[in-house]
C-alpha cells in the first residue's frame, strides 16, 4: 500500500472516532434528554442527512474543481465551527441548527477522501476503498465505546471530545494531505467544460446501484435512530448500546481474514459481493424482531456487520470503475449522497412507524425493504451491457 494512502487512513480514523462520539447517541439525546418524540428526532436526523446529501455533491464537485486537499480542509473548518457552536449551545432548537450544519460539512469531506484514495492507488482497486472503510470502522469501534462511558458520566463532554478529535483531524490534514500532491493525484477538472458526456450508460448504471444504497441505508440508519431508543426501553444502558457499535467496528477489522477467501474468489464479481451482503443485512433485521436482550442484539449486529463488509466497500469500487476521467469526485459524491439519502429518509420513516405501529412491524418492513435492494444490484450493469462496456460485475 502506498505511503500516501496511509495518511488518508489515519485521517479517516481520527475523523470517524470523533464523529462516532455523537451520531449513535443523537436520537437518544433528543428523545431522553431533550424530551422529543422519535418522529421529531427522526425529522431532525433527516435534516442532518439532507444537508449531508448537498455536502456530498458539493464535496465531489470541489474535488474535481479545486482538488481533494482544499475540499477536505473546507469541510473540516466548517465542521469545527459548527462543533464549537454545538459545544456551547446544545439545547433546543440550537441542536437542530448545528446538527444540520454538521451534516453538510461532514458531507463535503467523505467523497474527497474516497476519491483521493482511488486516485492515489488506482491499481489497488477494491483494496484502496476497503482500507478507508476499515479506518472508518476502527473509529466506530473506539468512538462509541468511549462515548458510552463519557455520556454516562456527563453527556455534555461528548460534544467537547468530538470537537477535540476534529481539531486533531485538521492538524493531520494540514500537515500530511497537502503532501499527497493534489496536482498529480486529482484528476483534470471537467466539471466546468462545455463538452457533454456522450455515453451516459455509466452514469445510469451509477444511479441504479445508488438506489440499492438508499434502501440499505434507510434500514441501517435505524440502528442509530429507532433501535437505539428501543434498546433503552428494553433496559440496555448507554454503555451496552455503545458496545454494540464497538462490536461492529472490531468485527470489521478482525473479520477481514474470515471473509478474505470469498472476497478473493469474487474479486471480479462485485454483484455476488453486493447480493450476499444485502441478504445478510436483511437477516440481521429479522433477528431484531426476536431480540429482547443484549446477547440477541449482539447476534443481530454480528450478522449486520458481515453483510456490511461485503456490501459497503463494493459501492465506491463500482463508482470508481464507472467514472470517466476527471469525474471521480463527482461519482463518489453521487454514491455517498445515495447512502446519505437513505440516512435522511430512514429516521423519519422509522420514527413514524414506531410511533404508529410499534417496533416489530418496523423491523419486519425493513426486511422487505432490504430484500428489494437486491434488484438494483442485479441489474445495474444493464445499461453497460447495452453499450458493450465491460466492468467487473
Amino acid at each position: 500500500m502506498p505511503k500516501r494512502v496511509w495518511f488518508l487512513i489515519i485521517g479517516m480514523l481520527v475523523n470517524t472516532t470523533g464523529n462516532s462520539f455523537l451520531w449513535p447517541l443523537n436520537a437518544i439525546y433528543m428523545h431522553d434528554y431533550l424530551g422529543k418524540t422519535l418522529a421529531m428526532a427522526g425529522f431532525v436526523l433527516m435534516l442532518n442527512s439532507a444537508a449531508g446529501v448537498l455536502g456530498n455533491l458539493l464535496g465531489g464537485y470541489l474535488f474535481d474543481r479545486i482538488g481533494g486537499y482544499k475540499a477536505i480542509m473546507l469541510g473540516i473548518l466548517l465542521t469545527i465551527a459548527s462543533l464549537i457552536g454545538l459545544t456551547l449551545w446544545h439545547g433546543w432548537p440550537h441542536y437542530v441548527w448545528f446538527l444540520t450544519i454538521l451534516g453538510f460539512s461532514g458531507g463535503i469531506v467523505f467523497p474527497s477522501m474516497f476519491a483521493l484514495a482511488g486516485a492515489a492507488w488506482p491499481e489497488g482497486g477494491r483494496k484502496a476503498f476497503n482500507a478507508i472503510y476499515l479506518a472508518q470502522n476502527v473509529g466506530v469501534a473506539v468512538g462509541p465505546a468511549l462515548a458510552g462511558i463519557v455520556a454516562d458520566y456527563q453527556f455534555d463532554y461528548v460534544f467537547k471530545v468530538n470537537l477535540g478529535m476534529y481539531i486533531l483531524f485538521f492538524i493531520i490534514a494540514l500537515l500530511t494531505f497537502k503532501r499527497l500532491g493534489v496536482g498529480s493525484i486529482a484528476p483534470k477538472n471537467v466539471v466546468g467544460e462545455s463538452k457533454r458526456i456522450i455515453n451516459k450508460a455509466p452514469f445510469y448504471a451509477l444511479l441504479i446501484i445508488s438506489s440499492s444504497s438508499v434502501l440499505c441505508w434507510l434500514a441501517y440508519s435505524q440502528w442509530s435512530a429507532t433501535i437505539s431508543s428501543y434498546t433503552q426501553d428494553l433496559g440496555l444502558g448507554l454503555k451496552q448500546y455503545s458496545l454494540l457499535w464497538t462490536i461492529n467496528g472490531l468485527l470489521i477489522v478482525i473479520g477481514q481474514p474470515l471473509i478474505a477467501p470469498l472476497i478473493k474468489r469474487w474479486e471480479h464479481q462485485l454483484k455476488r459481493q453486493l447480493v450476499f451482503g444485502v441478504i445478510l443485512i436483511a437477516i440481521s433485521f429479522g433477528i431484531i424482531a426476536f431480540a429482547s436482550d443484549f446477547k440477541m442484539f449482539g447476534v443481530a449486529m454480528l450478522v449486520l456487520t458481515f453483510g456490511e463488509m461485503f456490501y459497503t466497500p463494493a459501492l465506491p469500487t463500482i463508482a470508481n470503475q464507472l467514472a470517466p476521467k476527471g469525474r471521480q469526485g463527482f461519482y463518489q459524491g453521487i454514491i455517498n449522497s445515495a447512502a446519505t439519502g437513505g440516512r435522511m429518509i430512514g429516521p423519519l420513516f422509522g420514527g413514524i412507524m414506531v410511533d404508529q405501529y410499534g417496533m416489530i412491524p418496523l423491523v419486519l418492513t425493513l426486511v422487505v425493504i432490504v430484500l428489494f435492494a437486491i434488484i438494483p444490484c442485479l441489474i445495474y450493469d444493464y445499461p453497460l451491457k447495452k453499450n458493450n462496456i465491460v466492468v467487473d460485475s
Side-chain angles (χ1 to χ4, degrees):
M1 186 183 299
K3 183 180 178 181
R4 56 196 180 189
V5 177
W6 280 104
F7 292 143
L8 292 170
I9 289 171
I10 294 168
M12 182 62 85
L13 171 61
V14 174
N15 173 24
T16 312
T17 302
N19 263 344
S20 61
F21 256 77
L22 186 59
W23 61 258
L25 303 177
N26 275 322
I28 292 174
Y29 181 71
M30 284 185 279
H31 184 255
D32 295 353
Y33 289 78
L34 297 181
K36 305 302 174 183
T37 65
L38 281 177
M40 177 55 73
F43 177 73
V44 175
L45 293 177
M46 184 187 76
L47 292 178
N48 170 267
S49 296
V53 171
L54 297 176
N56 274 298
L57 293 173
L58 178 61
Y61 170 83
L62 290 175
F63 177 87
D64 294 329
R65 185 87 178 182
I66 63 174
Y69 171 71
K70 291 180 180 177
I72 290 169
M73 293 302 288
L74 174 63
I76 293 174
L77 288 171
L78 282 174
T79 299
I80 289 174
S82 56
L83 282 173
I84 290 172
L86 194 61
T87 302
L88 296 174
W89 304 286
H90 42 263
W92 194 267
H94 307 89
Y95 199 83
V96 182
W97 305 340
F98 291 120
L99 203 64
T100 302
I101 298 171
L102 275 177
F104 178 73
S105 59
I108 293 174
V109 172
F110 277 92
S112 289
M113 295 289 284
F114 279 101
L116 269 182
W121 194 18
E123 66 278 8
R126 187 186 194 274
K127 294 175 186 174
F129 303 107
N130 200 55
I132 300 298
Y133 169 69
L134 284 175
Q136 277 184 284
N137 285 281
V138 173
V140 169
V142 175
L146 296 176
I149 297 170
V150 172
D152 242 10
Y153 178 71
Q154 189 170 335
F155 208 105
D156 289 8
Y157 289 176
V158 170
F159 307 113
K160 295 175 183 177
V161 176
N162 197 355
L163 173 60
M165 293 301 291
Y166 246 93
I167 292 172
L168 178 58
F169 182 33
F170 171 79
I171 295 169
I172 292 170
L174 182 67
L175 297 178
T176 64
F177 284 15
K178 199 168 186 178
R179 296 181 190 175
L180 294 178
V182 174
S184 62
I185 293 177
K188 180 187 175 188
N189 167 42
V190 298
V191 174
E193 292 181 2
S194 58
K195 293 180 181 178
R196 289 180 59 196
I197 298 173
I198 297 172
N199 193 345
K200 295 182 179 178
F203 185 69
Y204 293 149
L206 181 73
L207 293 181
I208 293 170
I209 196 62
S210 293
S211 67
S212 169
S213 183
V214 171
L215 295 175
C216 285
W217 276 100
L218 182 153
Y220 196 112
S221 66
Q222 303 308 318
W223 273 94
S224 56
T226 53
I227 294 173
S228 65
S229 183
Y230 182 57
T231 60
Q232 304 305 292
D233 292 342
L234 292 175
L236 276 71
L238 282 175
K239 287 182 182 177
Q240 285 185 303
Y241 171 69
S242 297
L243 185 58
L244 291 171
W245 287 107
T246 302
I247 291 170
N248 173 269
L250 287 176
L251 271 176
I252 286 173
V253 178
I254 65 178
Q256 292 299 313
L258 298 177
I259 70 166
L262 266 182
I263 292 294
K264 189 174 181 181
R265 185 176 176 183
W266 294 343
E267 185 176 358
H268 300 292
Q269 297 174 311
L270 293 172
K271 273 188 187 179
R272 291 194 178 186
Q273 296 180 35
L274 290 169
V275 172
F276 187 61
V278 171
I279 290 171
L280 289 177
I281 292 170
I283 291 171
S284 73
F285 285 100
I287 295 171
I288 291 173
F290 303 97
S292 59
D293 56 18
F294 177 79
K295 191 180 294 184
M296 285 297 289
F297 279 103
V299 171
M301 179 60 87
L302 185 147
V303 176
L304 175 75
T305 303
F306 275 101
E308 179 188 353
M309 288 161 70
F310 282 96
Y311 180 79
T312 305
L315 294 174
T317 307
I318 291 171
N320 196 58
Q321 287 181 357
L322 294 174
K325 187 177 180 181
R327 300 284 277 183
Q328 288 95 328
F330 178 68
Y331 274 51
Q332 292 295 340
I334 293 289
I335 203 71
N336 271 279
S337 292
T340 309
R343 291 194 291 268
M344 176 181 72
I345 302 165
L348 180 60
F349 171 79
I352 293 171
M353 281 285 292
V354 171
D355 286 344
Q356 296 295 319
Y357 306 106
M359 194 67 198
I360 304 306
L362 170 64
V363 293
L364 295 177
T365 303
L366 294 176
V367 172
V368 176
I369 288 172
V370 173
L371 289 175
F372 265 105
I374 292 175
I375 297 172
C377 295
L378 294 174
I379 66 170
Y380 82 89
D381 59 347
Y382 175 74
L384 304 176
K385 290 178 178 177
K386 203 173 176 181
N387 287 266
N388 296 317
I389 299 173
V390 179
V391 295
D392 293 343
S393 62

